[in-house]
Amino acid sequence: MSKAKKILTAVTALWLCLLLVVLTYAWVVRNWTPSIEQEDLQINKAGALVISLKGDDNHETISLNKVVGIDSFIFKQVSSQNGQNFMWLDFIPTLDQKPAQYAKVTDAQKENYIETQFALKLDDTLTTDRYIFIHPESFLSDTTDVHVSDAIRIALDYTVTETDGSETNHVYILGNTPEGQDVDYSTSAVLPDADGKEQDDPTAVSQQKVYSLQYFNGGRTAAFDSANPGNPENYNFTPDPNRMLFTLKPGELKWITLRIWLEGADEYCVNEIAGQYFDMNLKFDSISVPQ
């Protein structure tokens, strides 16, 4: 498979390990700057969904490369405990024999991870509400024996309107979890208020909650027949609202902020993954809300 087909579909590990702080918290020295490069980052959809970038356009698939305006994307380590606020580790103090310090991401570091927006909406022919979930063909995988994809995180950030009219913001961090477990708490990440704190300060970090890509599967229990996507048995399951992302109404636009990054706190964020590639498929699907 060519590099151009190492796909990140829909729509992030590196350097020599300096030390471990809190669980498997690992960052790499700033003097080592290897990177992970992706040449084709995509988001796609299945079934009755449509992807929009402007609100009035319809896409089956969108290329994040075109959205971000680059031919290939290079990920470098950052950290986020909540999937919204990002920090980086400043090693300049180590020149004076002092601990490295956490700092808020500035415009310079924003180039190290992806942040973009897209919208999901239902096909214009639909007239009833549908649950939105993550298609079972979604995955994060490695192209070599080196664990690259395990250090990648994907955050979906969106707002839902409750029955009383109030709005609730949801942010879910997705990634590979050990042995495919539903939720992983084994990695810590930098807190939003850690700006200026030293690397060895335990109050600067906290647990990161990472959901498996299969967690929000809509409640599906049987395997998906990918050889025959039109097989009606693929959608012959009882929807589980707790395993859905949200509900879409006909004509509604659901804007999602997508963030993809290389988690500097992950145990696989080490120098050995420098220059490696990973495959990613992030695919959304829908099913009718039972009446």
Side-chain angles (χ1 to χ4, degrees):
M1 184 181 292
S2 67
K3 291 181 180 179
K5 293 187 178 179
K6 306 299 183 185
I7 299 179
L8 172 54
T9 316
V11 179
T12 233
L14 309 156
W15 305 278
L16 181 64
C17 192
L18 178 63
L19 86 135
L20 301 177
V21 180
V22 184
L23 299 177
T24 58
Y25 197 72
W27 285 81
V28 183
V29 179
R30 65 187 290 268
N31 293 334
W32 291 77
T33 56
S35 58
I36 298 173
E37 183 172 336
Q38 286 295 310
E39 296 182 351
D40 191 13
L41 314 182
Q42 296 183 0
I43 307 170
N44 66 10
K45 61 88 181 179
L49 287 175
V50 174
I51 302 174
S52 176
L53 291 175
K54 301 177 182 178
D56 58 356
D57 53 343
N58 297 334
H59 300 273
E60 295 278 330
T61 301
I62 59 174
S63 169
L64 292 183
N65 299 73
K66 293 180 180 179
V67 174
V68 179
I70 53 176
D71 293 329
S72 61
F73 195 87
I74 298 175
F75 296 94
K76 295 182 180 179
Q77 63 182 4
V78 291
S79 184
S80 177
Q81 188 267 343
N82 60 10
Q84 291 181 313
N85 306 100
F86 285 80
M87 308 291 289
W88 64 290
L89 191 56
D90 183 3
F91 285 92
I92 292 179
T94 63
L95 299 176
D96 296 324
Q97 308 303 312
K98 296 179 180 179
Q101 290 185 347
Y102 299 116
K104 290 182 179 180
V105 162
T106 64
D107 289 342
Q109 290 84 39
K110 279 191 174 182
E111 296 182 353
N112 295 341
Y113 68 96
I114 285 179
E115 178 173 333
T116 190
Q117 275 194 324
F118 66 95
L120 291 177
K121 57 184 178 181
L122 300 181
D123 186 278
D124 292 338
T125 62
L126 297 177
T127 58
T128 57
D129 296 356
R130 294 180 73 89
Y131 285 130
I132 307 302
F133 59 95
I134 295 178
H135 194 282
E137 292 179 342
S138 298
F139 62 82
L140 271 169
S141 65
D142 300 304
T143 60
T144 68
D145 293 334
V146 181
H147 290 269
V148 179
S149 61
D150 289 349
I152 302 300
R153 300 290 187 270
I154 309 162
L156 302 178
D157 183 345
Y158 57 88
T159 299
V160 298
T161 302
E162 308 294 348
T163 54
D164 62 0
S166 62
E167 293 188 336
T168 303
N169 179 244
H170 293 273
V171 183
Y172 296 109
I173 299 176
L174 310 175
N176 286 341
T177 56
E179 300 178 352
Q181 63 193 50
D182 287 341
V183 184
D184 178 22
Y185 294 96
S186 66
T187 301
S188 58
V190 185
L191 291 165
D193 62 354
D195 187 36
K197 291 186 177 181
E198 296 181 346
Q199 184 184 12
D200 56 4
D201 185 343
T203 68
V205 298
S206 184
Q207 275 187 340
Q208 185 186 61
K209 186 176 183 179
V210 182
Y211 290 89
S212 163
L213 282 172
Q214 287 70 47
Y215 183 86
F216 295 102
N217 65 359
R220 183 192 305 275
T221 56
F224 184 84
D225 183 6
S226 57
N228 183 17
N231 185 347
E233 288 301 310
N234 281 332
Y235 296 91
N236 185 21
F237 64 91
T238 301
D240 181 355
N242 294 319
R243 293 299 180 107
M244 303 293 178
L245 291 171
F246 49 82
T247 302
L248 264 183
K249 298 180 180 297
E252 178 185 7
L253 274 177
K254 177 65 65 179
W255 286 100
I256 300 173
T257 298
L258 173 72
R259 302 181 182 97
I260 307 170
W261 72 98
L262 169 66
E263 178 52 65
D266 192 274
E267 64 177 322
Y268 289 108
C269 183
V270 293
N271 190 55
E272 285 75 14
I273 66 174
Q276 302 293 326
Y277 288 81
F278 65 93
D279 286 338
M280 177 178 170
N281 182 346
L282 183 59
K283 191 173 185 178
F284 297 92
D285 206 348
S286 69
I287 192 170
S288 295
V289 175
Q291 300 299 311

